[in-house]
Amino acid sequence: MNRKNTATHVALMLLLAVFTTTPAYANDPEHRKHDSHEHGVAQLNIAWEGNTLHLELESPAMNIIGFEHMPGNSEQRAAVEHAVAELEKGSALFTFSADASCRLVEARVESALMDKGHQEHEAGDADSHADFDVSYRFICGQPDLLDRLAVGLFRLFPGD
């Protein structure tokens, strides 16, 4: 399988995985939609350049930790810290064809919820809509052999 066909195949498999495993609460009327911010929905972008595979995850914080306001207590701060630690484990969240020899070389997690300077001021703000934006960079030794990508996000963050 050539590189272009492999990239297309991986992208189609990923789209199928994302659309068939959307958490049940996506249709819950208590969860509201604001522009492109929709609870129960996340976006995973994939770009492939040479032997480098870039993945970008964009998700409302509600999907990951169950709230979107600045953490107002130690339990909520711990939830944010735990989510960040888990999201940084890209090799555990994404599994590739073993023969492709892909390895994580960079994971970057960003969220306004990680901004400790504003926690006291904005804690409990019902109008806030924080997200998690995560980028991953994998290097694949044999990118032409990449024909499978398993996404483990729903196992770690079931959204229930």
Side-chain angles (χ1 to χ4, degrees), residues 144-155:
D144 291 339
L145 299 179
L146 180 60
D147 64 0
R148 183 179 54 82
L149 169 59
V151 180
L153 289 165
F154 301 110
R155 182 183 68 250

Side-chain angles (χ1 to χ4, degrees), residues 128-149:
S128 63
H129 296 284
D131 295 327
F132 278 95
D133 296 312
V134 191
S135 61
Y136 302 96
R137 188 168 51 99
F138 291 87
I139 301 294
C140 299
Q142 298 290 323
D144 291 339
L145 299 179
L146 180 60
D147 64 0
R148 183 179 54 82
L149 169 59

Side-chain angles (χ1 to χ4, degrees), residues 40-56:
V41 176
Q43 182 172 331
L44 184 62
N45 300 312
I46 301 175
W48 193 342
E49 180 180 16
N51 66 343
T52 304
L53 187 62
H54 299 272
L55 301 171
E56 292 181 350

Side-chain angles (χ1 to χ4, degrees), residues 16-116:
L16 178 62
V18 170
F19 288 115
T20 59
T21 56
T22 300
Y25 64 86
N27 295 320
D28 186 343
E30 289 185 39
H31 292 88
R32 57 185 184 248
K33 179 179 177 183
H34 287 77
D35 299 323
S36 63
H37 181 98
E38 185 176 354
H39 297 175
V41 176
Q43 182 172 331
L44 184 62
N45 300 312
I46 301 175
W48 193 342
E49 180 180 16
N51 66 343
T52 304
L53 187 62
H54 299 272
L55 301 171
E56 292 181 350
L57 172 67
E58 301 170 10
S59 176
M62 180 66 75
N63 299 346
I64 305 292
I65 57 173
F67 62 90
E68 296 183 317
H69 55 79
M70 292 303 290
N73 57 46
S74 60
E75 182 178 306
Q76 291 177 345
R77 282 188 290 280
V80 172
E81 290 171 7
H82 175 73
V84 170
E86 293 299 314
L87 289 168
E88 288 176 338
K89 298 176 185 174
S91 295
L93 297 174
F94 304 101
T95 307
F96 305 95
S97 310
D99 293 339
S101 300
C102 297
R103 62 182 170 80
L104 179 67
V105 293
E106 181 181 26
R108 190 170 17 128
V109 179
E110 297 178 5
S111 176
L113 300 179
M114 297 164 56
D115 184 1
K116 297 180 188 311

